[in-house]
């Protein structure tokens, strides 16, 4: 009863692994670098007017998901980060409240992504404040959806 | 009828599954590791211990005729037929082993509504459809394995006794036909399909944010399908016609921990329960579904800003703040913590199984070792 349990029988079964293709549930639009570049100009315009709520919403709209366009994804991340770091702590809750539930999910994804990047570590205090305020409003759902969703930002 | 839930707590340790059976739901069967324990629900007396499995039992279910099926990690299912022993005059069970022909653990089992077949989902990427063959006095197991790419975690039967829905660990929910000529009458055409030979795929749905499908449920008419996944969402599907995309698919993103069970009360009402530790009623239609109320009177829904299921702190003044702790260490040389870890809800841990007890009552069991009957 004991010994055969230690054999990794799944390694011998070619069908035991699911491919990324099989795990990709919903087809997402391919977002190009230029799309994000265009978006970034609009976001910056909104930011300079002090319209944080709309600029965050725009930065979170239509994020690039595909894993083969890492530079585009990082570009969008830096855009989101730029908005997040320009907001004062007192305003955070109102801005999160103004987002719809899908955008809140995407925001949490970007917060996790940002925390995993070494270059954004200087902002960790701000990121944690955002995370705290967001979860206060949204509850635990977005964290679980961040973990289960295959569409990584 | 009192509004307070009725709580049964017989032993410590998780309960994988439970079911009430017998006349007036007098008897209660609970899994405890490799055994099933049968209790009298009114006197709470232990009547029988059914042993036969060699590994922990993963699910049990009772049929319309009162037969109990159990399935286990030992890759077998057992059908238990209750009878009154003539010599002793007490309740006894006849045991029938069912060879499922699977090479991984059996995970879930469900009787068809008429009790002629049962389905067992397993880790070997198949669903075993089992039925009794009179001439051989033997349970036959037929496999559905086309399309299924990973473990089958949950099963529910359509009221026509032919279609089953199964939720899998690769985030898909499938609807299959299990038509067996010798025992089934040909079902009338429905939104799921017209001709339904065995192993026909009638539907394949995913939740947009992924996650294991913990449970599936058909509505009483069978024309609506709901499922809960590990992304804390509830998805309700309204199929249109065979091979056509559904009329609508409502995905409700909740702010609770994931739900493990889902049951439709009517076409417009459903109950979910799971890691949040209390059952919640949702209502809705093709356009929108929303949470209505907590079935557990002791727990409240998440309001806008707070989690509804809070830790109960023993006494306001005794809240163990750091200051308090150090003061106590200074005065008494030890910490007397009065902070309790009790949740406000009736269940203290994940609810893993939810069943109908009567028309207006549900019974739940979970990892806290409790069986609770809630009034809806």
């Amino acid at each position: 009863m004991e010994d055969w349990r230690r054999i990794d029988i799944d390694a011998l079964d070619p069908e035991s692994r699911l491919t990324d293709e099989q795990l990709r549930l919903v087809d997402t639009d391919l977002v190009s670098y230029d799309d994000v570049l265009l978006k970034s100009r609009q976001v910056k315009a909104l930011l300079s007017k002090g319209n944080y709520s709309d600029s965050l919403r725009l930065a979170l709209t239509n994020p690039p998901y595909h894993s083969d366009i890492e530079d585009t994804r990082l570009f969008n991340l830096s855009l989101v980060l730029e908005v997040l770091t320009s907001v004062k702590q007192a305003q955070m809750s109102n801005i999160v409240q103004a987002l719809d539930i899908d955008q809140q999910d995407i925001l949490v994804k970007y917060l996790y992504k940002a925390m995993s990047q070494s270059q954004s570590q200087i902002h960790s205090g701000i990121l944690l404040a955002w995370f705290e305020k967001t979860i206060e409003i949204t509850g635990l759902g977005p964290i679980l959806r961040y973990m289960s969703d295959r569409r990584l930002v | 009828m009192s509004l307070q839930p009725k709580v049964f707590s017989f032993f410590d340790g998780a309960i994988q599954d439970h079911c009430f059976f017998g006349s007036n739901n007098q008897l209660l069967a609970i899994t405890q590791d490799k055994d099933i324990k049968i209790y009298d629900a009114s006197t709470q007396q232990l009547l029988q211990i059914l042993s036969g499995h060699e590994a922990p039992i993963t699910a049990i279910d009772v049929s319309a005729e009162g037969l109990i099926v159990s399935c286990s990690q030992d890759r077998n299912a057992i059908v238990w037929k209750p009878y009154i022993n003539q010599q002793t005059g007490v309740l006894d069970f006849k045991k029938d082993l069912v060879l499922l022909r699977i090479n991984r653990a059996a995970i879930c089992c469900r009787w068809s509504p008429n009790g002629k077949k049962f389905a067992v989902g397993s880790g070997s990427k198949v669903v075993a459809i089992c039925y009794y063959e009179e001439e051989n006095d033997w349970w036959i197991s037929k496999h559905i394995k086309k399309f299924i790419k990973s473990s089958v975690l949950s099963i529910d039967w359509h009221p026509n006794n032919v279609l089953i829905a199964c939720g899998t660990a690769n985030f898909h929910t499938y609807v299959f036909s299990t038509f067996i000529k010798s025992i089934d009458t040909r079902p009338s055409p429905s939104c799921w399909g017209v001709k339904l030979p065995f192993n026909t795929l009638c539907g394949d749905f995913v939740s947009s944010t992924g996650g294991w499908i913990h449970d599936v449920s058909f509505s009483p008419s069978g024309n609506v399908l709901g499922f809960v996944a590990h992304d804390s969402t509830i998805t309700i599907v309204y199929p249109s016609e065979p091979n056509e995309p559904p009329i609508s698919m409502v995905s409700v993103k909740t702010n609770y921990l994931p739900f493990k069970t889902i049951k439709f009360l009517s076409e417009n009402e459903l109950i979910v329960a799971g890691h949040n530790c209390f059952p919640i009623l949702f209502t809705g239609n093709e356009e929108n579904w929303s949470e209505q109320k907590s079935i557990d009177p002791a727990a409240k829904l998440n309001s806008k800003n707070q989690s509804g299921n809070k830790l109960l702190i023993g006494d306001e003044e005794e809240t163990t703040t750091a200051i308090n702790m150090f003061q106590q260490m200074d005065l008494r040389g030890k910490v007397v913590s009065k902070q309790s870890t009790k949740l406000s809800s009736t269940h203290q841990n994940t609810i893993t199984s939810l069943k109908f007890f009567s028309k207006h009552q549900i019974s739940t069991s979970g990892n806290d070792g409790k069986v609770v009957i809630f009034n809806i």
Side-chain angles (χ1 to χ4, degrees):
Chain A
M1 198 72 176
E2 296 308 317
D3 257 340
W4 57 265
R5 281 171 175 266
R6 294 177 196 283
I7 306 169
D8 181 11
I9 49 171
D10 285 329
L12 305 169
D13 179 3
E15 283 178 21
S16 71
R17 298 270 182 279
L18 290 172
T19 60
D20 280 354
E21 210 49 51
Q22 285 168 324
L23 287 171
R24 186 172 290 166
L25 302 176
V26 234
D27 282 326
T28 48
D29 297 332
L30 189 70
V31 180
S32 71
Y33 198 85
D34 293 339
D35 294 337
V36 183
L37 196 66
L38 192 71
K39 191 165 81 173
S40 79
R41 290 200 194 109
Q42 293 168 330
V43 170
K44 277 170 190 161
L46 284 166
L47 262 187
S48 59
K49 284 184 208 152
N51 191 343
Y52 300 120
S53 196
D54 282 341
S55 59
L56 181 62
R57 193 172 303 139
L58 187 62
L60 295 175
T61 310
N62 202 11
Y65 285 128
H66 292 248
S67 56
D68 45 351
I69 44 165
E70 189 60 25
D71 52 339
T72 316
R73 298 198 316 171
L74 285 175
F75 184 32
N76 204 76
L77 172 69
S78 65
L79 189 62
V80 174
L81 220 87
E82 194 177 330
V83 182
L84 293 181
T85 47
S86 19
V87 178
K88 287 195 190 72
Q89 263 206 32
Q91 298 170 307
M92 288 177 183
S93 297
N94 290 334
I95 291 175
V96 174
Q97 211 120 43
L99 299 174
D100 70 28
I101 193 159
D102 295 318
Q103 290 162 339
Q104 288 169 344
D105 282 359
I106 297 170
L107 173 63
V108 170
K109 279 190 203 173
Y110 272 108
L111 289 174
Y112 274 113
K113 170 99 175 179
M115 285 190 238
S116 71
Q117 304 284 319
S118 55
Q119 58 266 44
S120 44
Q121 266 172 9
I122 38 164
H123 302 307
S124 42
I126 299 167
L127 290 173
L128 285 170
W130 270 104
F131 189 75
E132 191 191 343
K133 304 276 187 219
T134 308
I135 298 307
E136 234 170 53
I137 289 164
T138 61
L140 300 169
I143 302 179
L144 288 144
R145 286 188 279 279
Y146 159 75
M147 291 193 284
S148 65
D149 202 340
R150 312 299 300 184
R151 293 172 299 175
L152 304 175
V153 293
Chain B
M1 197 179 0
S2 75
L3 281 170
Q4 281 309 310
K6 192 171 170 59
V7 183
F8 300 92
S9 186
F10 296 114
F11 48 81
D12 289 337
I15 295 176
Q16 281 293 333
D17 207 350
H18 77 281
C19 59
F20 284 93
F21 65 105
S23 57
N24 300 326
N25 282 339
Q26 261 305 306
L27 302 165
L28 167 60
I30 311 177
T31 66
Q32 188 188 31
D33 198 30
K34 297 167 193 170
D35 300 327
I36 302 171
K37 289 188 162 177
I38 310 285
Y39 290 91
D40 186 315
S42 51
T43 61
Q44 313 216 347
Q45 203 183 4
L46 178 64
L47 300 177
Q48 272 275 354
I49 298 176
L50 310 182
S51 36
H53 284 293
E54 287 162 18
I57 296 170
T58 48
I60 54 173
D61 196 25
V62 64
S63 78
E65 290 152 7
L67 267 63
I68 296 173
V69 64
S70 62
C71 67
S72 148
Q73 293 173 5
D74 66 9
R75 310 184 302 270
N76 289 323
I78 294 179
V79 176
W80 309 87
K81 190 177 181 183
Y83 67 95
I84 302 294
N85 191 323
Q86 293 300 335
Q87 282 160 359
T88 56
V90 295
L91 181 73
D92 216 334
F93 288 84
K94 180 177 171 279
K95 181 166 100 178
D96 259 331
L97 186 72
V98 184
L99 291 176
L100 300 172
R101 299 183 293 121
I102 52 177
N103 58 6
R104 296 286 195 288
I107 295 170
C108 53
C109 60
R110 279 288 168 86
W111 283 101
S112 65
N114 65 8
K116 294 210 168 113
K117 297 185 281 191
F118 62 86
V120 181
S122 76
S124 55
K125 306 175 201 169
V126 300
V127 178
I129 307 294
C130 306
Y131 59 98
Y132 186 67
E133 228 183 37
E134 200 105 27
E135 54 262 40
N136 297 326
D137 187 18
W138 186 252
W139 290 86
I140 306 276
S141 147
K142 270 182 96 168
H143 285 179
I144 290 180
K145 59 182 161 195
K146 226 158 81 181
F147 308 107
I148 303 178
K149 296 268 178 342
S150 70
S151 298
V152 178
L153 306 173
S154 54
I155 282 175
D156 196 34
W157 285 87
H158 189 280
N160 72 5
N161 292 300
V162 168
L163 295 170
I164 58 163
C166 40
T168 63
N170 65 333
F171 322 145
H172 285 258
T173 300
Y174 301 103
V175 177
F176 289 109
S177 164
T178 69
F179 181 76
I180 289 164
K181 226 178 184 173
S182 55
I183 54 168
D184 286 321
T185 49
R186 201 160 278 285
S188 48
S190 71
C191 53
W192 295 107
V194 182
K195 276 188 170 178
L196 301 165
F198 190 80
N199 217 345
T200 311
L201 180 67
C202 305
D204 177 356
F205 310 102
V206 291
S207 129
S208 58
T209 42
W212 285 16
I213 310 296
H214 285 310
D215 200 10
V216 286
S217 175
F218 278 109
S219 72
S221 72
N223 293 333
V224 187
L225 179 73
F227 56 88
V228 287
H230 202 71
D231 56 357
S232 297
T233 63
I234 308 167
T235 308
I236 300 106
V237 184
Y238 291 87
S240 53
E241 275 170 57
N243 303 319
E244 294 285 324
I247 300 171
S248 85
M249 237 173 114
V250 183
S251 176
V252 188
K253 291 183 170 184
T254 71
N255 51 8
Y256 298 96
L257 289 174
F259 300 115
K260 294 283 279 181
T261 60
I262 177 169
K263 274 264 177 328
F264 274 93
L265 293 176
S266 68
E267 302 301 307
N268 302 97
E269 293 170 297
L270 62 83
I271 292 181
V272 290
H275 292 286
N276 64 326
C277 305
F278 61 96
I280 304 172
L281 178 72
F282 277 74
T283 56
N285 50 36
E286 282 98 334
E287 270 110 54
N288 190 30
W289 281 77
S290 59
E291 54 186 325
Q292 264 334 293
K293 63 167 187 178
S294 158
I295 301 292
D296 186 348
K300 289 196 179 65
L301 295 180
N302 280 8
S303 66
K304 199 90 185 138
N305 292 320
Q306 293 162 331
S307 158
N309 202 3
K310 278 196 201 137
L311 281 179
L312 289 181
I313 310 289
D315 191 357
E316 201 63 43
E317 289 166 28
E318 287 290 344
T319 316
T320 32
T321 54
I323 297 175
N324 212 325
M325 187 181 80
F326 286 117
Q327 273 174 348
Q328 282 191 357
M329 279 164 83
D330 188 33
L331 289 169
R332 303 179 199 171
K334 63 178 178 182
V335 184
V336 188
S337 170
K338 280 211 174 166
Q339 186 170 15
S340 84
T341 52
K342 212 170 168 308
L343 294 167
S344 64
S345 57
T346 308
H347 272 289
Q348 295 297 310
N349 206 331
T350 305
I351 297 172
T352 52
S353 161
L354 187 158
K355 295 189 173 176
F356 285 118
F357 182 74
S358 67
K359 212 172 165 210
H360 298 289
Q361 286 170 305
I362 51 162
S363 61
T364 56
S365 68
N367 291 351
D368 57 354
K370 281 182 185 160
V371 178
V372 182
I373 301 172
F374 290 104
N375 300 297
I376 299 163

